[in-house]
Amino acid sequence: MKLADTHTHLYLDAFDTDRQKTVKQAINAGVTHMFLPNIDSTSVKPMLSLCDDFPENCFPMMGLHPTSVKGNYMDELAMVESWLNKRKFYGIGECGLDYYWDKTFAIEQEFVFRHHADLATAYNLPLIVHIRDSFNEVIRILKEINKPDLRGIFHCFSGSVEQAQQAIDLGFSLGLGGVITFKNNKMQETLKHIDLKHLVLETDAPFLAPAPYRGKRNEPAYVPLIAQKVAEIKQISLQEVAAATTANASELFGFTF
Ligand SMILES: [Zn+2]
């Protein structure tokens, strides 16, 4: 059984004392492929050094996280572009709109998000979209951009069936994480109505650990817990969930596992 963690921040401080061990534990748990979304200029070096340590397991993506869109966003965007010219990345992100923490730079966030969608098209890479209190705005922007070839992931998706369908209609996959294991989470009902072919798995480590580790540090080795919950809700086998979500990730990121 092979699994992919399509969204993990293994380069953050939370893993400073046991990063290598954490990656090895993930591989032992069958999570052979880990995709690392960038945050901003401060996260690039630790991200790339981890990917250089594990070239067959850890894969970098490049972008500017919406909560890092501040007054210097043009410099940060230039940094993103210059890195994309320097080496191979597997996705554009994470990017998107976060209206939950701070709306001071809402206009700039939209500008940066649109720019990332252009980059995803130009480099033919999946767009990794972060949404917080901004679902309708993201849908509006993606419709306005109107790029039929654009693909990507609505990261940490936990919306309604209608919202899931809107994302799918725009050519996007849904990233399912630890939230699906939380008691009475509404995504559990949504999931019953969504075909496996639209789903990929993720942890968003070190955040959002699945049950029974809720509230603790999350890590990629917990992806099987998420897969198990998906299997339970959809009443299929764990192997079926693993095969389908890994195949979806493989197609999205454009290589064979
Ligand atoms: Zn993230």
Side-chain angles (χ1 to χ4, degrees):
M1 186 176 73
K2 270 189 178 178
L3 289 159
D5 186 347
T6 61
H7 194 115
T8 177
H9 299 280
L10 277 168
Y11 49 79
L12 290 178
D13 299 355
F15 298 102
D16 275 358
T17 56
D18 59 353
R19 187 169 288 109
Q20 308 273 326
K21 192 175 133 213
T22 305
V23 173
K24 285 173 194 152
Q25 273 167 350
I27 297 166
N28 287 338
V31 187
T32 53
H33 289 64
M34 291 158 258
F35 295 88
L36 281 64
N38 190 44
I39 294 173
D40 57 30
S41 53
T42 65
S43 51
V44 176
K45 279 221 165 81
M47 176 178 74
L48 293 179
S49 92
L50 182 63
C51 293
D52 289 340
D53 287 346
F54 293 94
E56 314 216 313
N57 307 100
C58 295
F59 305 96
M61 307 198 270
M62 182 45 66
L64 177 61
H65 193 288
T67 59
S68 288
V69 174
K70 310 273 187 219
N72 67 341
Y73 72 99
M74 288 305 282
D75 294 338
E76 288 282 333
L77 268 185
M79 179 279 301
V80 165
E81 289 191 5
S82 85
W83 273 111
L84 284 169
N85 286 325
K86 263 185 256 181
R87 63 173 280 170
K88 164 112 184 103
F89 290 92
Y90 293 81
I92 300 291
E94 61 186 292
C95 62
L97 304 177
D98 192 313
Y99 292 167
Y100 175 80
W101 293 108
D102 188 4
K103 285 180 97 168
T104 312
F105 292 99
I107 291 168
E108 290 82 358
Q109 281 190 33
E110 177 165 342
F111 175 86
V112 169
F113 179 44
R114 286 174 180 271
H115 191 84
H116 278 61
D118 288 342
L119 290 172
T121 308
Y123 285 87
N124 189 25
L125 290 172
L127 188 68
I128 310 305
V129 186
H130 168 110
I131 297 171
R132 198 129 184 228
D133 288 355
S134 56
F135 187 86
N136 292 336
E137 288 83 355
V138 165
I139 293 292
R140 169 181 59 79
I141 292 165
L142 290 174
K143 279 186 178 159
E144 284 172 14
I145 290 171
N146 190 22
K147 295 238 164 71
D149 293 338
L150 191 61
R151 67 189 195 281
I153 299 171
F154 273 41
H155 140 64
C156 199
F157 183 83
S158 62
S160 65
V161 180
E162 291 72 27
Q163 288 177 325
Q165 198 54 53
Q166 284 179 289
I168 290 164
D169 288 346
L170 285 161
F172 281 75
S173 303
L174 308 176
L176 284 188
V179 173
I180 193 78
T181 68
F182 297 173
K183 240 186 177 159
N184 302 321
N185 184 268
K186 69 175 173 189
M187 187 58 205
Q188 295 175 356
E189 182 55 36
T190 300
L191 185 57
K192 292 179 191 164
H193 307 277
I194 299 171
D195 196 284
L196 266 183
K197 68 174 185 250
H198 303 300
L199 303 175
V200 292
L201 305 180
E202 61 172 53
T203 57
D204 202 19
F207 314 107
L208 296 171
Y213 302 107
R214 191 173 179 179
K216 304 228 167 64
R217 187 185 74 171
N218 199 0
E219 49 182 276
Y222 297 161
V223 171
L225 294 170
I226 300 162
Q228 182 56 51
K229 190 70 189 181
V230 173
E232 204 180 296
I233 293 168
K234 294 191 88 59
Q235 300 188 320
I236 52 176
S237 70
L238 174 62
Q239 284 69 22
E240 209 176 326
V241 174
T245 55
T246 302
N248 297 341
S250 163
E251 198 187 328
L252 205 50
F253 290 106
F255 66 88
T256 36
F257 285 13

